[in-house]
Amino acid sequence: MEPQQIIDHSVSYMLALLESDRTPDIGTSMLSSYIHDYIPRAPVTPVATLSLSGAPWVSDGVDRISRLPDDLLRNIIARLPIKDAARTATIGSLWRPLWLSVPLTLVDSHLLPDCGAHSPRAVTDAVSNIFAAHPGPFRCVHLTCTNMEEHQGEMARWLDALAAKGVEELIFVNRPQPMDLRLPSTLFSCASLTRLYLGVWRLPDTAAAVSRHATFPNLRELGLCFSVMEDRDLAFLLEKSPVLEVLVIVGSNPGVRLRLVSHSLRRIQLVFTYLEDINVVDAPLLEKILHWSTFGGYRPNLRRGMTCRSTISIGHAPNLRTIGYLEPGDNEIEVSNTAIVAGTKERIVPSVQILAIELQFGSLSALKKVPGYLRSFPNLEMLHVQSRTAKEPTRKVNLKFLQEGGPIKCVMQTMKKVFFYEFQGLKSEVAFLKFIAERAQVLEKMVVVVASKCFSSGDDLNAKLKPLTSAKWSRHDCELHLFKSPLSGGGAPSSCHQLASAFDPFDLIYYQESL
């Protein structure tokens, strides 16, 4: 079953809902699953295994745990789910003040009953009671189980309590009905935040409803999941977060422009997000721009009138090491910063070492963009290429243009590894790989993952690959590895946000069966 159709609505339809005033009764569970897949995991869990559960106990009636130092007891309580942490106050008089002195960790889903029907009202009431009873500080709060439109009074009081009691990490998700509920501007009073993830909100009107003096002076990680926003709202958030290091946007409404001026940001992660422009003006610490236009390896069909074309402008980003997936033909690259090479000014990004592109090998117009991409990154060491079926195939594709315009420096001098995913057996794919193999002087390894349809069609795979395997490789000891793809219907670039901070976030090794 296609993940896009699990509950009778395509992902593209739900993306369209971000611009509408309604949300269907069905489809919310799939949207919620996407959001929960990207929000950070809670630091406590109600299903943790007790390491001493099998140890022999001496039942002499002596309470040895209560004799431990208070600091150690607080450490223990801080690691418990909220129900268990609060219950420690009933153990004895020595325990009663301990829970109230421990920085609070509250995950509202842990308040759901172990069995029986989910009662949103009961969870909402429990959250309100805990906020009122605990003096703070609040170390980590996950609020994901409440339909905020139905409880706007409680929501306002919650935000006041979070601001007053110094919340550090906040995951704040509206049960997705409606999808454009306006986020209260009082959130900007939570100056103690270090991590903030928002899901299914319309951001406040920062031009009218938020004080210009509002700021998040400690915020290091910001996630916006299926949140409706304007350019100015996103710009305001970034401006008011002077130490922000990680920006994650999942499922943004189309047409938003990102203008980046930040002396702290290190990673941008965009998933299922079609920003009209990404303009990196001044980001001296930025290391990664990660972009996946798919969920779960599937690409949505955009509704009529929507477009995924965008411009990525790179200015001052001297530490940018990793960028992708870019789509030649849909993404235009503009490099505004110049570097002096052999006495000549060139518009290049010399710091980039890892590039991932999604390429339509049946489209000549898309292929012709590739040399410009590669020339923009002259010190590239790793190239990931995802082959994609062309939307408007060109009748005949000839790659002679790759040899025009002079040598491509990164191919000849710096490229060490090439990963090619979902090879479909097209002549243009083989010609592209052969072009690299015959020119890459320091290439150590080439990995080709063959799409499953190549095996079901009955075509002779060896014959299709012969121009590559029999080519005169520039480096004779380069390793060529062939794998069979486990994906039944081809696929789009796979993403794994847990690996976003890894050295190479595109090397997911989803393939196992070698050929």
Side-chain angles (χ1 to χ4, degrees):
M1 179 183 292
E2 293 282 321
Q4 291 171 248
Q5 305 293 335
I6 289 177
I7 44 181
D8 301 325
H9 283 285
S10 68
V11 176
S12 57
Y13 178 68
M14 290 201 300
L15 181 61
L17 288 171
L18 288 170
E19 295 184 313
S20 73
D21 295 326
R22 61 190 180 88
T23 299
D25 292 334
I26 57 177
T28 57
S29 61
M30 184 167 75
L31 180 60
S32 295
S33 69
Y34 287 148
I35 294 171
H36 283 273
D37 190 43
Y38 273 87
I39 61 178
R41 298 293 180 260
V44 297
T45 172
V47 295
T49 301
L50 295 176
S51 60
L52 297 178
S53 58
W57 291 98
V58 179
S59 61
D60 55 8
V62 178
D63 180 5
R64 292 180 174 83
I65 294 181
S66 295
R67 295 180 179 180
L68 295 174
D70 284 356
D71 287 346
L72 183 54
L73 291 176
R74 290 189 185 95
N75 198 327
I76 294 172
I77 295 172
R79 299 171 186 271
L80 296 175
I82 185 64
K83 283 184 179 180
D84 297 327
R87 286 169 182 158
T88 60
T90 65
I91 296 176
S93 59
L94 293 176
W95 287 80
R96 290 191 187 108
L98 290 177
W99 176 63
L100 296 177
S101 65
V102 172
L104 178 70
T105 295
L106 169 60
V107 182
D108 64 352
S109 61
H110 295 172
L111 297 171
L112 297 174
D114 297 330
C115 58
H118 171 203
S119 174
R121 179 73 254 182
V123 173
T124 303
D125 289 344
V127 170
S128 295
N129 292 335
I130 292 169
F131 280 177
H134 199 286
F138 293 169
R139 180 167 68 98
C140 179
V141 176
H142 285 224
L143 300 173
T144 64
C145 294
T146 297
N147 185 320
M148 299 297 179
E149 186 183 40
E150 296 178 359
H151 302 282
Q152 295 192 43
E154 289 94 335
M155 177 177 63
R157 287 189 289 273
W158 290 353
L159 289 175
D160 288 339
L162 291 170
K165 298 180 181 182
V167 63
E168 295 178 9
E169 297 187 17
L170 175 61
I171 313 300
F172 198 37
V173 178
N174 173 37
R175 299 280 294 182
Q177 291 198 23
M179 296 183 71
D180 63 346
L181 182 64
R182 183 74 73 175
L183 180 70
S185 59
T186 50
L187 176 72
F188 286 84
S189 301
C190 299
S192 54
L193 281 168
T194 60
R195 172 187 273 177
L196 173 63
Y197 275 72
L198 301 172
V200 198
W201 293 101
R202 179 180 289 276
L203 295 188
D205 183 353
T206 53
V210 181
S211 168
R212 297 304 301 175
H213 300 292
T215 183
F216 292 123
N218 304 297
L219 189 64
R220 297 188 179 277
E221 184 173 346
L222 172 64
L224 304 172
C225 303
F226 286 93
S227 294
V228 181
M229 68 187 89
E230 303 290 339
D231 298 352
R232 65 175 183 269
D233 304 327
L234 181 56
F236 185 88
L237 276 171
L238 297 178
E239 177 189 348
K240 299 301 181 178
S241 306
V243 298
L244 189 68
E245 296 179 358
V246 178
L247 173 64
V248 179
I249 302 178
V250 180
S252 167
N253 52 300
V256 176
R257 296 176 175 88
L258 172 60
R259 185 178 185 273
L260 188 59
V261 177
S262 172
H263 286 200
S264 61
L265 198 65
R266 295 181 181 273
R267 185 174 85 233
I268 300 174
Q269 193 170 345
L270 308 173
V271 183
F272 196 56
T273 295
Y274 297 101
L275 299 183
E276 186 169 325
D277 291 301
I278 302 174
N279 187 4
V280 182
V281 179
D282 184 19
L285 299 184
L286 184 64
E287 298 171 357
K288 294 183 174 76
I289 300 177
L290 308 179
H291 179 252
W292 288 278
S293 57
T294 62
F295 260 131
Y298 289 86
R299 169 180 297 279
N301 295 314
L302 296 179
R303 67 184 173 92
R304 184 176 299 176
M306 292 173 63
T307 177
C308 60
R309 296 184 182 277
S310 63
T311 300
I312 301 174
S313 302
I314 303 176
H316 183 238
N319 283 297
L320 184 61
R321 299 284 185 270
T322 304
I323 186 170
Y325 271 91
L326 303 181
E327 302 176 35
D330 287 338
N331 300 143
E332 296 291 335
I333 286 283
E334 294 181 356
V335 179
S336 58
N337 212 33
T338 59
I340 305 297
V341 180
T344 304
K345 288 186 177 181
E346 295 185 3
R347 295 185 180 274
I348 58 175
V349 188
S351 59
V352 170
Q353 298 175 345
I354 302 173
L355 170 67
I357 59 175
E358 187 180 359
L359 191 53
Q360 303 173 56
F361 277 90
S363 170
L364 184 59
S365 60
L367 286 168
K368 282 189 173 182
K369 299 285 187 180
V370 175
Y373 270 55
L374 297 179
R375 287 191 172 93
S376 296
F377 311 113
N379 296 317
L380 197 65
E381 295 184 3
M382 279 176 270
L383 175 65
H384 296 264
V385 181
Q386 174 85 27
S387 182
R388 173 179 148 205
T389 302
K391 292 179 289 189
E392 298 177 1
T394 305
R395 181 172 299 178
K396 186 177 181 181
V397 176
N398 190 315
L399 297 192
K400 288 184 178 180
F401 64 85
L402 286 174
Q403 304 177 34
E404 300 171 356
I408 300 176
K409 180 180 179 293
C410 69
V411 174
M412 295 190 65
Q413 298 181 17
T414 63
M415 193 171 293
K416 297 178 180 179
K417 296 179 182 179
V418 173
F419 299 86
F420 194 101
Y421 307 115
E422 301 306 309
F423 174 85
Q424 303 174 50
L426 301 178
K427 291 182 179 179
S428 54
E429 294 175 318
V430 177
F432 176 79
L433 291 171
K434 182 181 177 183
F435 172 83
I436 293 177
E438 292 180 338
R439 289 163 177 79
Q441 300 172 11
V442 297
L443 189 65
E444 299 170 358
K445 181 170 70 172
M446 179 181 288
V447 175
V448 179
V449 183
V450 181
S452 57
K453 73 175 186 179
C454 288
F455 302 94
S456 59
S457 63
D459 294 341
D460 187 347
L461 180 62
N462 290 329
K464 289 185 175 182
L465 286 171
K466 188 174 181 180
L468 175 63
T469 56
S470 62
K472 186 177 181 181
W473 290 52
S474 179
R475 180 166 175 172
H476 301 295
D477 59 348
C478 177
E479 300 175 1
L480 174 62
H481 300 275
L482 303 177
F483 292 90
K484 180 180 179 180
S485 173
L487 304 179
S488 58
S494 298
S495 64
C496 182
H497 59 282
Q498 289 90 347
L499 294 181
S501 60
F503 174 71
D504 185 355
F506 308 113
D507 187 10
L508 302 183
I509 316 181
Y510 68 95
Y511 44 87
Q512 298 293 333
E513 184 178 347
S514 60
L515 300 176

